[in-house]
């Protein structure tokens, strides 16, 4: 069976990492929409670096949970395309390989000048690109107004899948929020696993409400039995 899974901040919440739009989603009074833009970085790079420098060690010390491990097992029985909006590496450390990090990675640095990418040190503030040294380093994160990574591969998988699942995402950020509709229109069975109904619940045939660490392992077991 061809399965596409999209994950969001809700699955890392149970590893202790804050979501973007829940309680505590504001950082120093800023919504993510105020700091995660190229314009914010041009206006105040120190502020934007502080936001990411603070989150990098938190993500590093967080541990994968039952959701990350269950999705790694799913790959062993089905043809899985695992797409995450999350910029932590918990899927990777939870045993999944070939994870599509469509919004980039916290542990990466990017040169806006030449596109060179390299592992991020503890802080990127004031660093120059090691390839050409001409431009300041920025986090390898997809900000609002920028094209997410690997869209061609994601869209091809959505068009061809039998099952699409969105897990722990509020459905407020596009293009990811449109994946359920694309998959359903292409004939897939669509399922949403979330604490609550989201902004895009209507695009799903099936809803499993509850903490992802409970709903996802059970769903993976059911799907694995159908291999
Ligand atoms: C649990 C749980 C538990 C909690 N168990 N569940 C007007 C209309 C439509 C679109 C646009 C528009 N104006 C602009 C746009 C486009 C824009 C956009 O969508 N803006 C919206 C705000 C309207 N999008 C873009 O700019 C994107 N690029 C783009 O569109 O390029 C052009 C293009 C065109 C055509 C095709 C393709 C591309 C880029 C978006 C970049 C997003 N970047 C961010 C920040 C960077 C990362 C970082 O700093 O960490 O990525 S925004 C932020 O939101 C982050 C996340 O990945 C993303 C999604 O958030 P997520 O994961 O859904 O988290 P939350 O907090 O919102 O929700 C958590 C959910 O979990 C909740 O539902 C809880 O219930 C649940 N939950 N605990 C289960 N235990």
């Amino acid at each position: 069976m061809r399965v596409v899974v999209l994950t969001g901040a809700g699955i890392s919440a149970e590893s202790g990492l804050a979501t973007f739009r829940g309680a505590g989603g504001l950082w120093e009074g800023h919504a993510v929409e105020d700091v995660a833009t190229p314009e914010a970085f041009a206006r105040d790079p120190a502020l934007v670096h502080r936001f990411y420098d603070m989150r990098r060690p938190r993500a590093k010390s967080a541990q994968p949970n039952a959701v990350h491990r269950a999705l790694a097992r799913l790959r062993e029985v089905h043809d899985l395309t695992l797409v995450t909006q999350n910029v932590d590496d918990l899927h990777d450390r939870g045993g999944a390989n070939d994870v599509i990090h469509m919004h980039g990675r916290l542990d990466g640095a990017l040169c806006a000048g030449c596109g060179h990418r390299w592992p991020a040190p503890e802080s990127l503030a004031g660093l120059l690109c090691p390839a050409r040294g001409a431009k300041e380093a920025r986090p390898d994160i997809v900000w609002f107004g920028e094209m997410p990574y690997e869209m061609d591969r994601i869209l091809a998988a959505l068009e061809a899948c039998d099952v699409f699942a969105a897990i722990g995402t509020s459905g407020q950020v596009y293009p990811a929020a449109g994946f359920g509709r694309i998959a359903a229109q292409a004939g897939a069975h669509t399922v949403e696993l979330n604490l609550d109904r989201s902004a895009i619940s209507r695009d799903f045939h099936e809803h499993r409400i509850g903490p992802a660490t409970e709903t996802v392992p059970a769903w993976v077991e059911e799907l694995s039995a159908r291999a």
Side-chain angles (χ1 to χ4, degrees):
M1 195 184 293
R2 284 167 298 191
V3 181
V4 177
V5 171
L6 170 73
T7 62
I11 72 155
S12 296
E14 291 180 75
S15 291
L17 300 178
T19 60
F20 293 96
R21 295 172 184 82
L26 290 184
W27 171 72
E28 294 186 6
H30 303 279
V32 66
E33 289 79 3
D34 299 334
V35 267
T37 69
E39 293 77 18
F41 186 61
R43 195 170 50 239
D44 191 349
L47 173 91
V48 176
H49 279 312
R50 242 184 15 256
F51 179 56
Y52 290 98
D53 288 352
M54 170 206 69
R55 290 167 59 206
R56 217 170 275 120
R58 288 185 189 173
K60 208 170 166 185
S61 59
Q63 295 305 317
N65 63 44
V67 181
H68 302 102
R69 289 191 294 271
L71 293 175
R73 287 196 301 278
L74 188 57
R75 181 182 298 283
E76 291 163 19
V77 279
H78 288 296
D79 176 356
L80 174 69
T81 302
L82 180 54
V83 183
T84 188
Q85 298 170 89
N86 299 343
V87 296
D88 60 56
D89 64 349
L90 293 176
H91 278 304
D92 311 78
R93 285 195 278 129
N97 49 36
D98 198 18
V99 180
I100 299 180
H101 283 270
M102 67 177 289
H103 289 166
R105 305 179 58 119
L106 261 180
D107 57 11
L110 169 73
C111 174
C114 69
H116 180 63
R117 296 162 87 184
W118 69 101
E122 214 166 282
S123 174
L124 291 181
L127 274 189
L128 293 179
C129 167
R132 294 232 201 110
K135 274 268 189 178
E136 191 177 346
R138 55 163 278 182
D140 188 7
I141 300 283
V142 177
W143 287 328
F144 286 106
E146 297 182 327
M147 185 62 82
Y149 286 120
E150 301 201 58
M151 281 306 297
D152 290 351
R153 191 173 156 209
I154 296 170
L155 291 173
L158 289 171
E159 295 284 347
C161 69
D162 303 297
V163 174
F164 171 75
I167 308 176
T169 176
S170 62
Q172 296 192 42
V173 175
Y174 286 83
F179 290 174
R181 179 166 295 188
I182 294 172
Q185 282 172 353
H189 176 72
T190 56
V191 48
E192 177 173 70
L193 300 97
N194 201 305
L195 266 187
D196 278 310
R197 292 213 160 211
S198 74
I200 46 164
S201 285
R202 66 187 174 281
D203 295 339
F204 294 84
H205 299 113
E206 188 187 339
H207 302 90
R208 298 196 177 198
I209 304 292
T213 49
E214 291 174 16
T215 57
V216 176
W219 176 72
V220 165
E221 283 221 354
E222 280 174 39
L223 217 57
S224 301
R226 284 162 48 196

